[in-house]
Amino acid sequence: MKDFFSPGSLVTIAGGVLTVVGATAYATGSANLSLPTIFYGIPILLGGLALKSSELPPAIRVTPVKTFQKEREAAAPELGKLLGDVTRWRYGQKAHLESSLEALKLWDEDTPPQLEEIEELHSDSGYGLRMRFLLGAVPLERWQERQDRLGRFFAKGMRAELKELDEQRLDVVLLPAGEA
């Protein structure tokens, strides 16, 4: 439910309500109420609409928040930060992990890879993450060339496994380097 109420939506709704209240007060002759509500309502509404136009929704979190809480806290802090970063609303970006994908040279300006979902994993050797990407215009071969660097890039002591789902979707699984 909270995914439907992005900050941009809340600001837009608040601005819309204030504008409607101000317009109604103006139409009924309530000068004390109409001036402040219109004066604040219209800029808030426009600010909310601006946020909505640059909004990037969070990646789908497959694993419930409390499922691997202890494992997450014991794992590399970079993985928890990565998880928190991609499961919140972002503004002014084309895709989650934009700067990371640019640094890894896995970025295409026109059709960048899009993170669809993220899942927490736990095995005998530790905590890991699975990220599902829509490849966009970045070919699978480029991901495979950077596979060794992917795991180390996101957290020390991690390795990445790539699992092609189809020609446009790819799972990147980050696991502790000691796991076979």
Side-chain angles (χ1 to χ4, degrees), residues 35-49:
L35 184 62
T37 52
I38 286 179
F39 182 73
Y40 291 115
I42 291 174
I44 292 171
L45 174 64
L46 293 175
L49 292 173

Side-chain angles (χ1 to χ4, degrees), residues 17-147:
V17 168
L18 287 173
T19 303
V20 168
V21 168
T24 304
Y26 179 77
T28 60
S30 300
N32 291 340
L33 186 60
S34 68
L35 184 62
T37 52
I38 286 179
F39 182 73
Y40 291 115
I42 291 174
I44 292 171
L45 174 64
L46 293 175
L49 292 173
L51 284 175
K52 288 297 290 177
S53 72
S54 67
E55 188 171 80
L56 179 62
I60 298 168
R61 186 177 187 148
V62 176
T63 315
V65 175
K66 295 183 180 181
T67 303
F68 292 117
Q69 189 169 355
K70 289 180 183 176
E71 291 86 351
R72 185 181 328 116
E73 291 169 358
E78 296 90 357
L79 292 179
K81 185 178 180 220
L82 172 67
L83 181 65
D85 188 46
V86 301
T87 56
R88 66 183 177 98
W89 292 91
R90 306 291 299 199
Y91 293 91
Q93 293 184 342
K94 290 184 178 183
H96 289 287
L97 305 173
E98 182 174 328
S99 60
S100 299
L101 293 173
E102 284 177 358
L104 288 163
K105 298 185 181 5
L106 294 171
W107 186 256
D108 181 81
E109 192 63 39
D110 297 326
T111 313
Q114 296 291 326
L115 180 64
E116 288 185 313
E117 64 183 37
I118 190 161
E119 178 181 12
E120 294 176 279
L121 307 170
H122 182 67
S123 66
D124 293 338
S125 65
Y127 176 82
L129 295 174
R130 178 192 58 83
M131 299 180 285
R132 178 163 294 160
F133 286 92
L134 279 175
L135 295 178
V138 179
L140 177 64
E141 294 77 27
R142 198 171 344 158
W143 287 84
Q144 291 169 336
E145 290 169 5
R146 288 158 177 80
Q147 180 175 352

